[in-house]
Amino acid sequence: MIDGYFRCGDVGSAEEVFDEMGERDEISWSVVIDGYIKSGFYKEALEVFNTMQSERIRPGKFVLTSVLAACAHLGALDHGRWVHAYVRRKKKSIVMDAVLGTALLDMYAKCGRLDMAWEVFESMKEKEVFSWNAMIKGLAMHGRADDAVELFFEMQRRKFRPNGITFIGVLNACAHSGAVEQALKLFDSMENVYNIEPEVEHYGCLVDCLGRSGRLEEAEELVNSMPIEPNPAVYGSLLGACRIHGNAELGERIGRLLLELEPNNSGRYALLSNIYAKAERWDDVAEVRKLMKERGVKTNPGSSMIELGGCVHEFKMGEGCHPKMKEIYSTLKVMIERLEMEGYVPNTSQVLFNIEEEEKETALQYHSEKLAIAFGFISTKPGETIRVVKNLRVCDDCHSAIKLISRVYGREIVLRDRVRYHHFRDGTCSCKDFW
């Protein structure tokens, strides 16, 4: 019954049935945790797991695999480490097979600890193709294109045959590092060498790679020559490239197409508005916002999460419900003032309103990732690494500010946004300003 309610999207009824159960075994807890994760309630999944521990129910391999997936999504490194330690303690009863090992390395990669992900991968006695895929994807997220490509060939030397998912991972790695020629070679080899017919996701990766590198004409030509119908994600990659390189003409054409294909996707409106705002076409910005209002489209607010002491804290711009909000705002104010002394000037080009510069600067100050970092400063010791997970792409201003924060305060800051990982250290970012 619980599983059925979750599958139907009725989370409330699933919770009621679970709460009313007189006896609950590991399977019952596993179904609830898995249901929460598949429904997108990752923090709730970890809370249930914590309750399960307090009731002294020993988790098995399947529960632990689900919990690791929740940790990966939230960037909950402390929880993930606990699971790893638990598996080590229970190695006689819990076998580290390919499924559990892959979930563990995926968690570490998505929590910013690529070194630990590699350590797990290397220690796995059992590996499957999906294990190699997860490691390649992890390297891609961190911009390690050369290592991802090397692992792609290494898996073949170890007699593992790449599949379509493998190519998505390695093509993404090339896109995040600007390795266009390598991506083109890999794409061509899919059919010619591996007898894998490229699917729309592979074309999307290549469009993304060409677009990010500024080769917009080639990217558009590829979209127009695809043997299969391009989906919104493909057009979205091209639209994102137009924003990066300031091509308002192509961006407008692709953006208008996307608004018809996905009229309820707020991200498409925001990206098109961003392109117009960068070109200072404020009337067009207002038109897009009016269209959103007429269609009843709600924006997806930016949120950032930071895990400290086993607790996941979430911040959203404009929300002041955190118990330490006053201290966070005060700390952030001091940080911004310090950055300004070092030459920081807010980049207001992506603020989507035709308002005074001072108001734009104020809006930028309270972006969710800055709030999370300020909380990290007041909650950790000097010199400790701060790890933040954001649900959207980090904006140009926050990216520049965090680089400066890492240098001025001598802190390493690891930020995962919707696109990739950013490791800020000594005033530089691992993405080399390419994201």
Side-chain angles (χ1 to χ4, degrees):
M1 287 179 67
I2 295 170
D3 183 55
Y5 278 127
F6 272 120
R7 288 176 183 272
C8 294
D10 191 349
V11 176
S13 295
E15 291 172 336
E16 286 181 17
V17 174
F18 181 70
D19 291 339
E20 291 170 0
M21 289 179 66
E23 293 184 17
R24 300 184 291 202
D25 58 11
E26 187 205 337
I27 296 174
S28 311
W29 291 92
S30 177
V31 169
V32 171
I33 291 170
D34 190 55
Y36 271 131
I37 291 169
K38 289 178 178 176
S39 302
F41 294 94
Y42 302 98
K43 285 202 292 186
E44 288 78 0
L46 289 189
E47 288 169 4
V48 170
F49 179 68
N50 291 337
T51 304
M52 176 184 177
Q53 294 299 291
S54 67
E55 295 193 12
R56 301 187 180 280
I57 305 294
R58 292 185 179 181
K61 181 176 65 177
F62 298 108
V63 172
L64 296 175
T65 301
S66 295
V67 170
L68 287 170
C71 294
H73 184 88
L74 296 170
L77 181 59
D78 288 346
H79 276 86
R81 281 172 168 161
W82 185 94
V83 172
H84 194 183
Y86 181 84
V87 171
R88 283 171 169 163
R89 290 198 308 270
K90 304 292 183 181
K91 59 184 178 182
K92 290 184 178 180
S93 57
I94 300 177
V95 179
M96 178 75 83
D97 60 7
V99 173
L100 184 56
T102 301
L104 192 57
L105 78 86
D106 184 60
M107 179 277 297
Y108 276 125
K110 289 179 178 175
C111 287
R113 290 299 304 269
L114 195 60
D115 56 331
M116 292 300 299
W118 183 258
E119 186 178 305
V120 171
F121 180 73
E122 287 284 84
S123 67
M124 288 172 61
K125 294 179 180 178
E126 292 183 32
K127 292 189 184 81
E128 297 291 345
V129 172
F130 56 76
S131 308
W132 292 87
N133 290 348
M135 195 65 240
I136 288 171
K137 182 181 177 183
L139 291 165
M141 286 181 64
H142 292 266
R144 301 268 292 272
D146 291 343
D147 292 329
V149 172
E150 173 57 32
L151 196 61
F152 169 78
F153 289 114
E154 177 63 22
M155 71 181 289
Q156 296 169 70
R157 289 192 287 269
R158 299 284 186 89
K159 309 302 180 185
F160 289 91
R161 185 170 179 79
N163 58 22
I165 296 173
T166 315
F167 277 95
I168 290 174
V170 76
L171 288 171
N172 267 327
C174 294
H176 288 315
S177 62
V180 180
E181 298 307 321
Q182 181 70 71
L184 290 169
K185 289 179 183 177
L186 287 165
F187 186 84
D188 288 340
S189 74
M190 286 183 68
E191 279 191 290
N192 298 333
V193 177
Y194 300 95
N195 198 29
I196 298 174
E197 185 176 351
E199 298 180 9
V200 68
E201 291 83 6
H202 301 103
Y203 282 99
C205 291
L206 194 56
V207 169
D208 188 36
C209 189
L210 289 166
R212 286 176 186 274
S213 299
R215 296 163 66 163
L216 295 175
E217 288 186 11
E218 291 176 69
E220 186 180 19
E221 288 174 8
L222 178 61
V223 172
N224 293 333
S225 64
M226 284 173 57
I228 49 181
E229 186 71 22
N231 64 10
V234 173
Y235 288 118
S237 295
L238 188 54
L239 184 63
C242 292
R243 185 206 63 79
I244 293 170
H245 299 286
N247 190 325
E249 181 183 347
L250 178 59
E252 181 172 42
R253 192 162 70 247
I254 299 300
R256 293 291 176 180
L257 174 63
L258 275 170
L259 296 193
E260 297 307 313
L261 290 174
E262 292 186 311
N264 296 315
N265 187 332
S266 63
R268 307 307 188 195
Y269 294 86
L271 204 50
L272 181 57
S273 294
N274 209 308
I275 291 169
Y276 284 143
K278 200 170 184 179
E280 296 186 353
R281 292 170 55 176
W282 300 111
D283 289 342
D284 290 317
V285 172
E287 181 194 341
V288 172
R289 294 186 64 81
K290 181 183 177 184
L291 185 60
M292 284 184 72
K293 189 174 182 180
E294 289 174 352
R295 292 179 174 178
V297 180
K298 302 296 182 182
T299 57
N300 185 18
S303 71
S304 294
M305 292 177 288
I306 179 171
E307 185 198 34
L308 291 170
C311 180
V312 177
H313 302 262
E314 184 173 10
F315 296 92
K316 294 181 181 179
M317 181 177 169
E319 286 192 2
C321 57
H322 195 279
K324 290 191 175 182
M325 213 66 227
K326 285 186 179 180
E327 192 177 353
I328 291 168
Y329 281 134
S330 177
T331 301
L332 184 55
K333 183 174 182 293
V334 172
M335 287 170 60
I336 296 298
E337 290 173 352
R338 174 82 182 275
L339 296 185
E340 288 173 344
M341 290 174 62
E342 296 288 336
Y344 165 67
V345 178
N347 181 350
T348 60
S349 64
Q350 289 182 294
V351 179
L352 308 182
F353 303 95
N354 189 10
I355 56 178
E356 296 297 325
E357 285 297 306
E358 186 177 347
E359 294 179 76
K360 292 182 181 180
E361 292 178 13
T362 301
L364 288 169
Q365 283 184 20
Y366 300 116
H367 277 190
S368 62
E369 54 267 60
K370 289 193 179 92
L371 295 173
I373 290 170
F375 176 66
F377 265 68
I378 65 177
S379 306
T380 60
K381 297 176 182 178
E384 280 190 27
T385 300
I386 294 174
R387 303 177 189 278
V388 177
V389 175
K390 183 170 184 180
N391 65 331
L392 304 176
R393 179 187 182 274
V394 62
C395 73
D396 293 348
D397 175 75
C398 286
H399 193 269
S400 298
I402 299 170
K403 282 199 297 183
L404 195 53
I405 289 170
S406 72
R407 177 173 66 79
V408 171
Y409 288 93
R411 290 268 196 148
E412 181 178 358
I413 299 171
V414 181
L415 171 68
R416 186 182 92 200
D417 69 5
R418 186 181 57 81
V419 179
R420 58 164 295 156
Y421 254 102
H422 303 264
H423 294 256
F424 298 92
R425 186 188 295 113
D426 299 326
T428 63
C429 179
S430 61
C431 76
K432 300 176 183 177
D433 300 335
F434 188 87
W435 83 102

